PDB file of all heavy atoms in Angstrom:
ATOM      1  N   GLU I 491    -111.456  23.386 124.251  1.00  0.00           N
ATOM      2  CA  GLU I 491    -111.962  23.487 125.692  1.00  0.00           C
ATOM      3  C   GLU I 491    -112.293  22.100 126.212  1.00  0.00           C
ATOM      4  O   GLU I 491    -112.510  21.896 127.402  1.00  0.00           O
ATOM      5  CB  GLU I 491    -113.098  24.411 125.805  1.00  0.00           C
ATOM      6  CG  GLU I 491    -112.809  25.832 125.396  1.00  0.00           C
ATOM      7  CD  GLU I 491    -111.758  26.541 126.241  1.00  0.00           C
ATOM      8  OE1 GLU I 491    -111.384  25.998 127.293  1.00  0.00           O
ATOM      9  OE2 GLU I 491    -111.276  27.627 125.841  1.00  0.00           O
ATOM     10  N   SER I 492    -112.452  21.066 125.368  1.00  0.00           N
ATOM     11  CA  SER I 492    -112.801  19.731 125.888  1.00  0.00           C
ATOM     12  C   SER I 492    -111.575  18.948 126.345  1.00  0.00           C
ATOM     13  O   SER I 492    -111.693  17.921 126.909  1.00  0.00           O
ATOM     14  CB  SER I 492    -113.512  18.936 124.759  1.00  0.00           C
ATOM     15  OG  SER I 492    -112.577  18.628 123.710  1.00  0.00           O
ATOM     16  N   SER I 493    -110.400  19.546 126.082  1.00  0.00           N
ATOM     17  CA  SER I 493    -109.160  18.815 126.440  1.00  0.00           C
ATOM     18  C   SER I 493    -108.655  19.282 127.795  1.00  0.00           C
ATOM     19  O   SER I 493    -108.608  20.484 128.135  1.00  0.00           O
ATOM     20  CB  SER I 493    -108.086  19.094 125.357  1.00  0.00           C
ATOM     21  OG  SER I 493    -106.861  18.466 125.674  1.00  0.00           O
ATOM     22  N   PHE I 494    -108.199  18.336 128.647  1.00  0.00           N
ATOM     23  CA  PHE I 494    -107.705  18.696 129.956  1.00  0.00           C
ATOM     24  C   PHE I 494    -106.331  19.370 129.831  1.00  0.00           C
ATOM     25  O   PHE I 494    -106.048  20.341 130.477  1.00  0.00           O
ATOM     26  CB  PHE I 494    -107.566  17.393 130.816  1.00  0.00           C
ATOM     27  CG  PHE I 494    -107.069  17.724 132.217  1.00  0.00           C
ATOM     28  CD1 PHE I 494    -107.934  18.333 133.151  1.00  0.00           C
ATOM     29  CD2 PHE I 494    -105.799  17.320 132.646  1.00  0.00           C
ATOM     30  CE1 PHE I 494    -107.481  18.624 134.402  1.00  0.00           C
ATOM     31  CE2 PHE I 494    -105.387  17.587 133.929  1.00  0.00           C
ATOM     32  CZ  PHE I 494    -106.229  18.219 134.819  1.00  0.00           C
ATOM     33  N   LEU I 495    -105.471  18.847 128.919  1.00  0.00           N
ATOM     34  CA  LEU I 495    -104.239  19.518 128.555  1.00  0.00           C
ATOM     35  C   LEU I 495    -104.451  20.435 127.384  1.00  0.00           C
ATOM     36  O   LEU I 495    -105.235  20.120 126.521  1.00  0.00           O
ATOM     37  CB  LEU I 495    -103.152  18.438 128.268  1.00  0.00           C
ATOM     38  CG  LEU I 495    -102.747  17.527 129.395  1.00  0.00           C
ATOM     39  CD1 LEU I 495    -101.738  16.488 128.898  1.00  0.00           C
ATOM     40  CD2 LEU I 495    -102.116  18.302 130.575  1.00  0.00           C
ATOM     41  N   ASN I 496    -103.778  21.562 127.401  1.00  0.00           N
ATOM     42  CA  ASN I 496    -103.990  22.547 126.330  1.00  0.00           C
ATOM     43  C   ASN I 496    -103.631  21.997 124.907  1.00  0.00           C
ATOM     44  O   ASN I 496    -102.518  21.581 124.682  1.00  0.00           O
ATOM     45  CB  ASN I 496    -103.086  23.784 126.581  1.00  0.00           C
ATOM     46  CG  ASN I 496    -103.271  24.879 125.596  1.00  0.00           C
ATOM     47  OD1 ASN I 496    -104.217  24.872 124.808  1.00  0.00           O
ATOM     48  ND2 ASN I 496    -102.371  25.843 125.585  1.00  0.00           N
ATOM     49  N   SER I 497    -104.637  21.954 124.070  1.00  0.00           N
ATOM     50  CA  SER I 497    -104.488  21.506 122.716  1.00  0.00           C
ATOM     51  C   SER I 497    -105.339  22.343 121.798  1.00  0.00           C
ATOM     52  O   SER I 497    -106.413  22.890 122.207  1.00  0.00           O
ATOM     53  CB  SER I 497    -104.889  20.008 122.558  1.00  0.00           C
ATOM     54  OG  SER I 497    -104.069  19.183 123.326  1.00  0.00           O
ATOM     55  N   PRO I 498    -104.973  22.483 120.496  1.00  0.00           N
ATOM     56  CA  PRO I 498    -105.732  23.287 119.595  1.00  0.00           C
ATOM     57  C   PRO I 498    -106.879  22.449 118.957  1.00  0.00           C
ATOM     58  O   PRO I 498    -106.742  21.242 118.790  1.00  0.00           O
ATOM     59  CB  PRO I 498    -104.733  23.718 118.527  1.00  0.00           C
ATOM     60  CG  PRO I 498    -103.749  22.615 118.493  1.00  0.00           C
ATOM     61  CD  PRO I 498    -103.684  22.050 119.915  1.00  0.00           C
ATOM     62  N   LYS I 499    -107.974  23.095 118.579  1.00  0.00           N
ATOM     63  CA  LYS I 499    -109.050  22.443 117.877  1.00  0.00           C
ATOM     64  C   LYS I 499    -108.483  21.891 116.514  1.00  0.00           C
ATOM     65  O   LYS I 499    -107.765  22.571 115.836  1.00  0.00           O
ATOM     66  CB  LYS I 499    -110.201  23.415 117.581  1.00  0.00           C
ATOM     67  CG  LYS I 499    -110.971  23.763 118.802  1.00  0.00           C
ATOM     68  CD  LYS I 499    -112.162  24.702 118.415  1.00  0.00           C
ATOM     69  CE  LYS I 499    -113.032  25.042 119.623  1.00  0.00           C
ATOM     70  NZ  LYS I 499    -114.181  25.908 119.273  1.00  0.00           N
ATOM     71  N   GLY I 500    -108.835  20.649 116.213  1.00  0.00           N
ATOM     72  CA  GLY I 500    -108.415  20.072 114.983  1.00  0.00           C
ATOM     73  C   GLY I 500    -107.027  19.484 114.971  1.00  0.00           C
ATOM     74  O   GLY I 500    -106.616  18.947 113.971  1.00  0.00           O
ATOM     75  N   GLY I 501    -106.334  19.649 116.090  1.00  0.00           N
ATOM     76  CA  GLY I 501    -105.001  19.070 116.188  1.00  0.00           C
ATOM     77  C   GLY I 501    -103.926  19.953 115.526  1.00  0.00           C
ATOM     78  O   GLY I 501    -104.183  21.082 115.091  1.00  0.00           O
ATOM     79  N   PHE I 502    -102.711  19.431 115.513  1.00  0.00           N
ATOM     80  CA  PHE I 502    -101.540  20.144 114.948  1.00  0.00           C
ATOM     81  C   PHE I 502    -101.219  19.557 113.544  1.00  0.00           C
ATOM     82  O   PHE I 502    -100.974  18.310 113.471  1.00  0.00           O
ATOM     83  CB  PHE I 502    -100.306  19.894 115.843  1.00  0.00           C
ATOM     84  CG  PHE I 502    -100.447  20.467 117.233  1.00  0.00           C
ATOM     85  CD1 PHE I 502    -100.895  19.664 118.268  1.00  0.00           C
ATOM     86  CD2 PHE I 502    -100.022  21.753 117.526  1.00  0.00           C
ATOM     87  CE1 PHE I 502    -100.984  20.106 119.538  1.00  0.00           C
ATOM     88  CE2 PHE I 502    -100.130  22.255 118.814  1.00  0.00           C
ATOM     89  CZ  PHE I 502    -100.541  21.334 119.835  1.00  0.00           C
TER      90      PHE I 502
END
Side-chain angles (χ1 to χ4, degrees):
E491 300 295 350
S492 70
S493 177
F494 184 71
L495 297 175
N496 182 14
S497 297
K499 287 183 178 179
F502 299 91

